[in-house]
Amino acid sequence: MSVPSPILDAFGLHGRVAIVTGASSGLGVAFAQALAEAGADVVLGARRVDRLEQTKALVEATGRRALAVATDVADPDSCRALVAAAVEAFGRVDVLVNNAGIGTAVPALKETPEQFRSVIDVNLNGAYWTAQAAAAAMTDGGSIINISSVLGITTAGLPQAAYAASKAGLDGLTRDLAQQWTGRRGIRVNSVAPGFFASEMTEQYADGYLAKQQERILAGRTGDPRELAATVVFLAGPGAGYITGQTIVVDGGLTIA
């Protein structure tokens, strides 16, 4: 009679290979480090390849392997090259965290077509191109985690039409890819919608903005990136094996207040 594995085994990623885009700073660094701590080897993609070396060192400090690849997710060829590099280096791809993203705050009557398209091209189209490439390489199932935002669900007092549209679109993309790939290919696709977490984007807010928004957060504080990373690790592993097509909100209660 076999002995059941301890429940914590369901949260381990030993023997898995994960790709994280936008891994050169902020939340991407937290995701990469947490995935490595859970046992995964991590492939790091971003445009700023010099800064990827810092994330690579954090991953390797956990005892896991890391690979840094210069990547522009708005370029489908670059997305395919990222996945190909992962397969060449580590032999497989099991997890993709679509984290690369940009944000703007431009009034709708002043936003140019170029400004709007640039956000959609990275946040939505880039996630699609990378998911396409990764899914083709996931020959034994896998997990794709799209980093969305509560701004795909609610508003936050800034003129962010492009950003909000891209994140709402990403949640829709998540559902559709899940219904296409989970049954046929064993690939679960979910999105995570963070509230306010420390990142390069939050550093650009005007003085007093975060304090004002914090009044809406039931937890009374902004989130710690490690709290968000824990959700990503959960969705990446076997413990979330029956979860697909979902948007998991991690916002301290902001969207229900």
Side-chain angles (χ1 to χ4, degrees):
M1 181 177 178
S2 62
V3 178
S5 299
I7 189 64
L8 290 181
D9 288 352
F11 300 90
L13 297 174
H14 297 282
R16 308 292 178 92
V17 175
I19 296 174
V20 180
T21 66
S24 61
S25 63
L27 296 176
V29 176
F31 298 152
Q33 187 174 11
L35 289 163
E37 290 175 1
D41 296 319
V42 188
V43 179
L44 311 163
R47 288 179 293 185
R48 297 175 294 186
V49 70
D50 55 323
R51 295 187 63 175
L52 282 178
E53 290 302 319
Q54 301 173 31
T55 313
K56 182 172 181 286
L58 288 173
V59 170
E60 291 175 338
T62 70
R64 306 312 307 168
R65 298 176 295 173
L67 176 69
V69 182
T71 306
D72 179 1
V73 298
D75 177 2
D77 289 336
S78 185
C79 298
R80 287 188 287 268
L82 170 65
V83 174
V87 173
E88 181 178 0
F90 300 139
R92 58 188 294 133
V93 173
D94 303 286
V95 177
L96 167 65
V97 180
N98 265 323
N99 171 68
I102 57 176
T104 58
V106 183
L109 291 179
K110 297 181 179 179
E111 191 159 33
T112 66
E114 291 75 18
Q115 288 173 317
F116 190 90
R117 288 175 183 140
S118 68
V119 175
I120 299 296
D121 215 16
V122 172
N123 295 4
L124 180 56
N125 298 349
Y128 188 38
W129 308 138
T130 312
Q132 271 189 342
M138 290 176 173
T139 57
D140 189 29
S143 175
I144 294 174
I145 303 155
N146 298 318
I147 305 304
S148 182
S149 169
V150 293
L151 293 185
I153 303 169
T154 186
T155 58
L158 292 175
Q160 293 182 290
Y163 187 78
S166 73
K167 295 304 185 178
L170 190 56
D171 292 339
L173 178 68
T174 295
R175 291 188 292 273
D176 192 80
L177 295 183
Q179 65 94 20
Q180 290 192 53
W181 292 343
T182 301
R184 291 194 302 112
R185 302 183 61 88
I187 299 170
R188 295 180 295 106
V189 187
N190 293 288
S191 63
V192 175
F196 289 102
F197 288 80
S199 67
E200 286 192 339
M201 288 187 188
T202 59
E203 291 173 0
Q204 299 171 22
Y205 292 144
D207 290 344
Y209 173 78
L210 271 180
K212 182 65 176 176
Q213 291 302 313
Q214 195 162 303
E215 297 174 5
R216 300 172 60 189
I217 303 173
L218 299 183
R221 60 177 176 85
T222 56
D224 185 314
R226 297 284 290 177
E227 294 173 307
L228 189 62
T231 305
V232 168
V233 169
F234 166 61
L235 289 173
Y242 204 53
I243 300 175
T244 193
Q246 303 302 307
T247 297
I248 309 298
V249 179
V250 186
D251 69 351
L254 182 151
T255 49
I256 68 164

